[in-house]
Structures are given as C-alpha cells and as structure tokens.
Amino acid sequence: MPSSYHYHILIFSLLLIHYSSTTTSSSAASYRPKSIALPVSRDPSTLQLTAKVLQRTPPVIIPLTLDLGTPFLWVSCGKRYLSSTYRPVSCGSPQCTLANAKICKTNNICSTSSLKNPVTNISPPSGGELATDVIRINSINGSNMGKTVTIPNYLFVCAPMSLLQGLAKGVSGVAGLGRTNVSLPSQLASTFSFSRKFALCLSSFPSEDGALIFGDGPYNFASDIDVEVTLPSYTPLVRNPVRPSEYYIGVSALRISQADVPINKSLLSIDSKGNGGTMLSVIYPYTIMETSIYKALITEFDNILKTNYKSKRVAPIAPFEACYDPSTLPYTRIGPSVPDINLVLPNGVVWRMQATNSLVYSTLSPNQSAYCLGFVNGGSNPRASIVIGAYQLEDVLVQFDLAKSRLGFTTSLVPDRIRCSRFKFNSVV
Ligand SMILES: *[C@@H]1O[C@H](CO)[C@@H](O)[C@H](O)[C@H]1NC(C)=O
Ligand SMILES: *[C@@H]1O[C@H](CO)[C@@H](O)[C@H](O)[C@H]1NC(C)=O
Ligand SMILES: *[C@@H]1O[C@H](CO)[C@@H](O)[C@H](O)[C@H]1NC(C)=O
Ligand SMILES: *[C@@H]1O[C@H](CO)[C@@H](O)[C@H](O)[C@H]1NC(C)=O
C-alpha cells in the first residue's frame, strides 16, 4: 500500500495526465512525440504478434502479445515483480473508475473481472489487481534506438503466472489495444495529448518486423522514392454491447466478381447475446468464418476458379480446404491473380482482399505445394461469424480510430511495391 502522501501524488499525476492538455507531469514533459511506433514481430510457433515495452524501476524489458480486443495491458506479476515505482490502485480511485473495475479486494485494492487470456479465453477466478508503474517505450530511428518516451503512472492489471499459458514463449502478458479508456492507445494518447488512434501494418515476411503506430501519421515507407501511405477508405466501428472492447465492422455481404455469396445474412449482425457480426483479431493467424459462410465462400470461389481458369483443386493442406495446383492459376508479376474477395460495408465502401491476402502458399512436402484459400472453418457457433485475422491484414495499413469510432484501411500495398516491413520508424517520432 502506498502511503497517503504517495496516494495523493498518484491521484495528482493521474488528473494531470487525463484532464490537462497543456500541462505535463515533470517526467513526461521533456519529450512529447506526435506519435510512437513500435516494431511488431511474429512468434514463429504460435504466429502471435509481439512487441516490447520497458516497465518498472529499474526497467525490465516486457515482451507482450498484441491483442486488439483486450481492454488493458496485463502482465504476470508474482513474486518476481520488483519495482520501486509500483503502486496498487485503491478502490474508488479515478483509475479504478476509468478501468470500470468493480471488485474491491483485501487492503482496498481495486480489481477487475475482465482479465482474460485472449488465446485460451481463460479468466482467473480471482480476477486481476490494478496497479500503476512506469512504462517506457523505445522509439526506433531507422536501425538505431531513438528517443525513449516515458509514461509515469501507466495503469495495468496484474495477472497470475498461470494466465501466460497459451501465449508465445517468453511473453510476459498482453498489450490490450481495445476500445477502452485504459488501453495502450488511450493511455499513450492521454499522456502525450495525441489522437486516440493507432495503425497496424503487419509484415508478410516472417523474419521482418511490421509496425504498430500510435497517434497520427504520416505513414512513411521506404522505397525507391519515399512514399507516404494515406487511407483511402473508412468504415464505422460497430459496438458489440456484450464485448464493447472489441473492434467490429458492419459487413453486409461477401462478394466475388460482382456476385454476392449466398449466405444467411442474419449471421452478419450481432444478436442480443453478443454473437454474430464481423470483428478483427490478430490473435488468429487467418480469417475465421462460421461454417455455413465458410462453405458458401469456398463453393463460390471454387466455381469461379474452375469456370474461368480451369484451375485444378488438389488435396487440402490443413488448416485450409480449398487448395489449387499452382501451375493452374493465372499470374501477374506479384503472384497469382484470382478474383478479389470483397467485404461489403455501409455507404458503398468495400474492403477488397486481393490474392496476396486471400491465397496462402502452403507446402506439405517438397513435391506437394499449393495455393490455398486462406480462410478457416470456425464451426457452427463462433462468437463472431467472421473474424478477420492477421494474414488478411498483412501488407495492408489499417487504422483504428477510437475517438472517431471508425476503421481506416487500404487495399494490399504490394501492387504499389510497398511492404509493411519497410515502414520508416524514424519518420514518426
Ligand atoms: C534519427 O536518426 C537520424 C540519422 O541517424 C538523425 O539525423 C535524426 O535526428 C534522428 N531522429 C530522431 C528523432 O532521433
Ligand atoms: C472514455 O473517454 C471519452 C473521452 O474522454 C469519454 O467520452 C467516454 O465517456 C469514456 N468512456 C468510458 C467508458 O469511460
Ligand atoms: C440464419 O441464422 C440465424 C442466426 O443463427 C438462425 O436463427 C436462422 O435459423 C438462420 N436461417 C436459416 C434460413 O438458416
Ligand atoms: C518427389 O519428386 C521426386 C522427383 O521428382 C521423386 O523422385 C519422388 O519420388 C517424389 N516424392 C514423392 C513423395 O512424391
């Protein structure tokens, strides 16, 4: 428990951080970035996306799995959590309210029941205690370390060690990027007074990092001539009343070559139990679809490929079903060229998934490789009918705007010779 002196300092800093746009607390004042970019790696065995921050005093490197829907940052604390700047959060405090935490534990410690492992969906029965500590983020400048930004009283949740099961090896917790006022993008935005938004650009090369950019662009990429990518399309974010921290969009149809895939449209809306609809999640390596939607999509796609190109279907390569002999597909200079899979959104906006995001090159043995439709069967009762996964976001720039409740997105950057792995980190800080 902090002394009451510390308690008041804590509240004072919190109020400064959240309610002042012109004053800063002393430790955050010296350097105020317009945006902050973090390199994003992919864990080779789980395919989870990870990023690193520094936490505690003295600082420790904390690798975290990224999750779009998790409401806050959580780390396993346990006995090895040593930090002179660690402060538990008291029941009834502004931080407790901000985090919408409703449990009060012994010693007046504010706790939340929303703590959950996004991979296993396991929640510890005792919930998680709220605390604050220093977080530092190393900005990257080209191949050099850039300046370090400091968030003095970062609000996070302490989890038991066992909750790490199912996360990538070496990871200490989850960086929650959710639609809440205590998620990483929200706390960075309020600390540095920049926009409550973040962008993701996932690399399609396993060994090269993509980027997670908090705050405003510009989004600059290295190429023969430096390019700035702007977002051509936006669509409103939809709120799921049961899972308000997740990012949903209003897909009304799936369309291939001007024809709507015949599906049960009621699966595309969110029902009173919070099931159905279309959400985004980078926890899943590939887009998942409710069985009937999945089957309808494969049938339609397969018909078009067979009719238009006489493409030859080959044995499935798990987790995919619709796989094709590579020599029977049409090509352009960037790879196979098949009809786009379009997600139809409100106001005539369409999310075009081109072959770079719809086909996965899969190998069973040296002699057996195929291009497979990169979507996975989600069974008959998934919580969302469509979950747009990481593969469909590779070499695409997506921007999650919490303040404006909208999602901005590009089509694949590959035809423009732009890769997420070439994001210019030194352009943003
Ligand atoms: C990034 O590095 C370049 C060259 O090394 C330097 O000129 C520039 O000032 C650095 N930018 C920041 C924000 O540190
Ligand atoms: C989050 O913050 C915004 C802007 O400060 C505010 O309008 C909104 O009511 C807050 N939401 C919650 C759930 O506290
Ligand atoms: C369409 O989906 C809804 C929601 O799952 C279900 O209640 C309804 O029976 C389905 N309709 C048909 C025709 O399958
Ligand atoms: C793979 O191809 C090689 C040469 O084309 C052949 O000798 C070998 O039997 C093939 N292996 C299988 C498992 O088909």
Side-chain angles (χ1 to χ4, degrees):
M1 279 293 293
S3 66
S4 92
Y5 170 75
H6 276 134
Y7 179 79
H8 284 107
I9 291 289
L10 195 68
I11 298 307
F12 182 59
S13 316
L14 178 89
L15 292 177
L16 268 181
I17 287 166
H18 287 284
Y19 303 109
S20 161
S21 55
T22 52
T23 333
T24 37
S25 61
S26 54
S27 36
S30 50
Y31 180 51
R32 186 183 280 227
K34 281 200 310 228
S35 49
I36 294 169
L38 274 177
V40 172
S41 318
R42 192 190 335 256
D43 174 65
S45 82
T46 60
L47 303 181
Q48 287 165 28
L49 301 169
T50 63
K52 290 177 185 145
V53 300
L54 294 164
Q55 194 198 32
R56 310 172 198 183
T57 308
V60 176
I61 296 172
I62 309 286
L64 299 162
T65 288
L66 299 182
D67 181 43
L68 291 172
T70 294
F72 38 67
L73 185 153
W74 63 261
V75 297
S76 88
C77 293
K79 290 194 184 75
R80 274 193 266 151
Y81 194 106
L82 298 171
S83 174
S84 62
T85 41
Y86 173 87
R87 305 280 180 268
V89 168
S90 306
C91 302
S93 65
Q95 287 125 320
C96 195
T97 309
L98 199 66
N100 201 20
K102 305 251 162 73
I103 308 172
C104 192
K105 290 231 260 201
T106 42
N107 296 334
N108 202 34
I109 296 173
C110 172
S111 301
T112 176
S113 56
S114 309
L115 176 60
K116 193 181 77 171
N117 178 316
V119 177
T120 60
N121 277 324
I122 288 172
S123 284
S126 55
E129 295 183 359
L130 272 67
T132 63
D133 207 337
V134 178
I135 290 256
R136 292 188 170 83
I137 294 179
N138 279 332
S139 58
I140 302 291
N141 184 357
S143 51
N144 307 314
M145 276 305 195
K147 290 183 178 168
T148 300
V149 296
T150 303
I151 305 102
N153 297 303
Y154 191 93
L155 182 63
F156 68 101
V157 174
C158 271
M161 190 78 154
S162 58
L163 202 63
L164 295 178
Q165 266 174 42
L167 298 185
K169 200 161 171 275
V171 153
S172 320
V174 171
L177 303 172
R179 293 179 79 184
T180 68
N181 285 342
V182 290
S183 63
L184 188 52
S186 291
Q187 290 198 56
L188 292 178
S190 54
T191 304
F192 301 109
S193 308
F194 58 54
S195 309
R196 222 150 62 90
K197 59 173 84 148
F198 66 96
L200 258 186
C201 202
L202 302 182
S203 168
S204 55
F205 301 110
S207 57
E208 292 178 29
D209 290 344
L212 170 60
I213 308 119
F214 298 99
D216 281 304
Y219 305 114
N220 288 313
F221 291 81
S223 67
D224 298 345
I225 38 162
D226 288 347
V227 276
E228 183 181 319
V229 172
T230 50
L231 295 153
S233 310
Y234 291 95
T235 193
L237 288 169
V238 174
R239 185 76 73 173
N240 181 332
V242 180
R243 283 182 276 276
S245 64
E246 301 271 5
Y247 295 89
Y248 281 79
I249 54 172
V251 172
S252 61
L254 297 178
R255 189 173 292 162
I256 311 178
S257 299
Q258 270 88 57
D260 281 7
V261 177
I263 56 174
N264 179 347
K265 291 279 167 78
S266 65
L267 292 168
L268 296 177
S269 50
I270 300 168
D271 70 18
S272 56
K273 292 187 188 120
N275 297 324
T278 302
M279 68 171 221
L280 290 92
S281 174
V282 292
I283 284 290
Y284 298 100
Y286 305 98
T287 294
I288 297 174
M289 291 175 165
E290 183 276 339
T291 295
S292 68
I293 301 179
Y294 174 79
K295 291 196 166 136
L297 177 75
I298 285 192
T299 305
E300 192 75 14
F301 187 80
D302 195 56
N303 282 341
I304 292 174
L305 256 62
K306 282 183 175 149
T307 314
N308 295 4
Y309 312 109
K310 308 272 180 285
S311 301
K312 187 179 156 224
R313 183 108 170 234
V314 295
I317 301 179
F320 310 118
E321 253 174 63
C323 298
Y324 299 89
D325 179 341
S327 68
T328 65
L329 293 173
Y331 287 83
T332 64
R333 73 176 164 86
I334 58 164
S337 155
V338 293
D340 297 341
I341 292 175
N342 300 296
L343 306 187
V344 181
L345 295 160
N347 308 318
V349 174
V350 169
W351 182 328
R352 285 175 56 205
M353 289 178 178
Q354 295 170 272
T356 44
N357 295 105
S358 67
L359 291 183
V360 180
Y361 189 73
S362 308
T363 305
L364 255 190
S365 68
N367 294 12
Q368 271 180 289
S369 49
Y371 274 107
C372 301
L373 188 61
F375 295 77
V376 173
N377 189 341
S380 52
N381 277 309
R383 55 189 184 130
S385 298
I386 301 175
V387 183
I388 300 174
Y391 190 80
Q392 278 64 37
L393 299 174
E394 285 178 4
D395 288 324
V396 166
L397 183 69
V398 276
Q399 184 198 63
F400 300 81
D401 191 328
L402 286 80
K404 291 193 176 136
S405 278
R406 65 178 191 177
L407 180 82
F409 56 93
T410 65
T411 53
S412 174
L413 302 172
V414 177
D416 294 327
R417 300 174 192 268
I418 301 167
R419 295 282 186 173
C420 288
S421 56
R422 313 264 337 258
F423 180 75
K424 273 174 71 178
F425 284 95
N426 58 353
S427 63
V428 291
V429 196

